[in-house]
Amino acid sequence: MHWRARNNQPGSITLARGSATASTRIAWRMGWAGALALVALLSGALLLPGLAAAHAYYVSSDPAAGAVLKAAPTLVTVHFAESVNPHGSDIIVYDANHKPVSTAQAQVAHADIKTMTVPMAGDGDGIYFVEWHTVSGDDGDPDIGGFNFTVNSKATGDTTPTPTTNSGGGSGGSTGIPVWLTVLVGLAGLAIGGVGTFYATRRRA
């Protein structure tokens, strides 16, 4: 109809222009709708990492992860990102032969409910592994992780490395833009671009 109107029927020019104008308006509306949808997607995406991080994950400890000590400690203290529910949370210390050397169940500190302590009795030099599992006191989410430290009686002194990564747990220590967010933005851009191309093609037709 529009091709005939433009080529052979001058009286139909007004109708073709009106259709093109209507298509333009629709395209603008779809573009704005797509832009608003993209903003909504990005806003939700920015909130998701905060929701996903709702775990009592490892923050720091004494001994620190990777530390080298001259003598085995008698107490291991671990600090977490959220309050810890004592029911379902624990810390176990193992020696290099994977024999438990913690001497009691871990306790949540009364003065700081984000901190747990566990007593231990070391059996000499070697690598010790600290395994922890927590239930968040804020939302009940579980998390698990671990770290090690070394006892070397011949060391010149205790050394504590500068922490560079999260010692266990799936929620802390992440940096940069997540891959899923990049994919989400890319898909939203393709969808908006597809709508714009579709209406632009209809307008030229």
Side-chain angles (χ1 to χ4, degrees), residues 17-93:
R17 287 180 177 175
S19 299
T21 303
S23 297
T24 302
R25 285 198 295 266
I26 293 174
W28 273 101
R29 291 172 184 172
M30 292 299 296
W32 276 108
L36 291 175
L38 179 59
V39 171
L41 285 171
L42 290 175
S43 299
L46 291 175
L47 290 175
L48 284 176
L51 295 176
H55 297 270
Y57 59 83
Y58 173 100
V59 173
S60 62
S61 62
D62 182 16
V68 178
L69 311 176
K70 286 181 63 64
T74 57
L75 188 72
V76 173
T77 301
V78 183
H79 305 283
F80 298 96
E82 291 188 355
S83 61
V84 177
N85 186 340
H87 302 290
S89 303
D90 200 5
I91 300 172
I92 303 175
V93 185

Side-chain angles (χ1 to χ4, degrees), residues 178-191:
V179 174
W180 62 265
L181 179 56
T182 304
V183 173
L184 180 63
V185 173
L187 290 175
L190 287 174

